[in-house]
Amino acid sequence: MLELNGIMKSYGTTRVLDDVTFQVAPGKLTGFVGGNGAGKTTTMRIILGVLAPDGGTVTLDGEAVTAADRRRFGYMPEERGLYPKMRVLDHIVYLARLHGFSKADATERAEALLVELGLGERLQDNIETLSLGNQQRAQIAAALVHDPEVLILDEPFSGLDPIAVDVVAGVLHARAAAGAAVLFSSHQLDVVERLCDELVIIAGGRIRAAGSLEQLRAEHAQRRFELISAGDLGWLRDEPGVEVVSLDGGYALFDADTDETAQRVLRRAVAEGAVTTFAPRHPSLAQIFKEVIQ
């Protein structure tokens, strides 16, 4: 378990991280979301030891993270950092060799990973000739080639088309399933919502929410319901305790002030016509994000 507790960081008189505390569990994908300047990259750099915090601790399995621990970390920065003139396979082999693998093992690992990431036909191409999306895949391979126990990815899905997102997501899920703790930042809230097991939302250098998606949905849920009926639902506008969000004939999306109000609406709908759908509508990650950062 990777844990951050009370992390503080300032530049001059500007505090950029204020009591940042959260966990990244092994075997799970943890999404780290926030706007530009929220503190995501600074937090990641402190985890990696690139920056020193002004206060607080970073621990792994209850012990302070050491330089030896960080050699078992994998990191993908938001800025691409590969050598443009090197061939794809040679570059990833080189990085694996830096982690202590023999040439044969490094080559086997690098080739298998690049094929897994969809770059099997580009192994002998120079990095600079790849599309931006394929350069991103190569950058991810660089972070993964030594099978890290902790994986820190800054905007790994940036520049990827939907098919590439699915490929990379599959690779990350496989690493998490093998026991790695994976923390990734992204501005693409729909991708985060679809992929992650845990969420951490940061704004203004402070953690505003953390937990599973189900937990955060429960904490920020509205009593919002979708109702589809064979009868006209115009009467909903006059129901006490009901705020209509959308209404079109037999379709309605509405908020209820209490559970009893919702049940009263259902009873009346059933009495007036066949009801085919009555279900709660859970808040999206985008809705939760907007609520907690306000």
Side-chain angles (χ1 to χ4, degrees):
M1 178 80 74
L2 178 70
E3 295 184 77
L4 287 76
N5 187 31
I7 298 296
M8 312 288 285
K9 183 67 179 178
S10 297
Y11 294 113
T13 59
T14 303
R15 178 160 291 178
V16 294
L17 296 179
D18 188 1
D19 192 26
V20 168
T21 299
F22 64 90
Q23 300 176 338
V24 184
K28 294 185 177 182
L29 297 180
T30 299
F32 192 27
V33 298
N36 293 329
K40 302 187 301 297
T41 297
T42 299
T43 301
M44 290 181 164
R45 288 175 176 171
I46 287 174
I47 293 172
L48 294 159
V50 176
L51 293 175
D54 298 329
T57 59
V58 180
T59 60
L60 184 64
D61 297 330
E63 301 292 333
V65 174
T66 66
D69 292 328
R70 289 188 172 104
R71 284 195 286 272
R72 296 177 288 153
F73 288 13
Y75 176 51
M76 195 206 84
E78 184 175 7
E79 307 83 7
R80 293 183 176 90
L82 303 180
Y83 298 120
K85 301 295 183 183
M86 285 189 75
R87 287 186 286 191
V88 176
L89 180 60
D90 291 346
H91 202 317
I92 306 306
V93 169
Y94 167 71
L95 295 173
R97 295 294 306 276
L98 291 179
H99 283 284
F101 292 100
S102 68
K103 184 175 181 180
D105 285 346
T107 302
E108 181 179 354
R109 283 172 170 271
E111 186 166 353
L113 180 55
L114 289 166
V115 168
E116 187 180 6
L117 284 164
L119 292 176
E121 297 181 357
R122 310 303 299 270
L123 300 181
Q124 302 306 319
D125 294 353
N126 287 354
I127 295 289
E128 66 183 355
T129 68
L130 300 181
S131 66
L132 293 180
N134 282 338
Q135 288 184 32
Q136 188 81 335
R137 297 193 205 202
Q139 190 84 56
I140 292 168
L144 289 171
V145 71
H146 58 297
D147 284 338
E149 295 178 21
V150 176
L151 188 56
I152 309 294
L153 305 170
D154 201 350
E155 296 289 342
F157 301 104
S158 176
L160 298 183
D161 61 41
I163 293 175
V165 168
D166 288 342
V167 169
V168 171
V171 171
L172 297 184
H173 274 300
R175 296 310 182 274
V182 182
L183 176 70
F184 71 94
S185 72
S186 180
H187 287 97
Q188 298 163 267
L189 297 183
D190 58 331
V191 173
V192 176
E193 184 169 16
R194 179 162 56 92
L195 299 183
C196 68
D197 303 297
E198 302 284 327
L199 288 166
V200 178
I201 299 175
I202 187 171
R206 295 183 62 88
I207 301 301
R208 302 300 180 91
S212 69
L213 182 57
E214 292 74 17
Q215 177 186 340
L216 294 183
R217 278 175 169 164
E219 290 175 358
H220 298 277
Q222 298 172 306
R223 291 185 181 87
R224 178 163 292 182
F225 297 88
E226 183 180 50
L227 174 61
I228 302 176
S229 171
D232 188 280
L233 297 172
W235 51 266
L236 259 179
R237 297 191 186 279
D238 300 321
E239 280 291 309
V242 169
E243 182 176 345
V244 174
V245 178
S246 177
L247 180 62
D248 183 11
Y251 173 86
L253 185 67
F254 68 94
D255 295 336
D257 60 354
T258 67
D259 292 335
E260 175 53 35
T261 296
Q263 292 304 311
R264 188 184 73 242
V265 167
L266 177 58
R267 288 193 296 270
R268 178 168 177 181
V270 169
E272 300 208 4
V275 172
T276 56
T277 298
F278 183 78
R281 287 284 294 268
H282 299 295
S284 68
L285 176 54
Q287 290 170 321
I288 294 171
F289 179 78
K290 289 177 183 177
E291 180 179 337
V292 301
I293 67 171
Q294 289 177 349

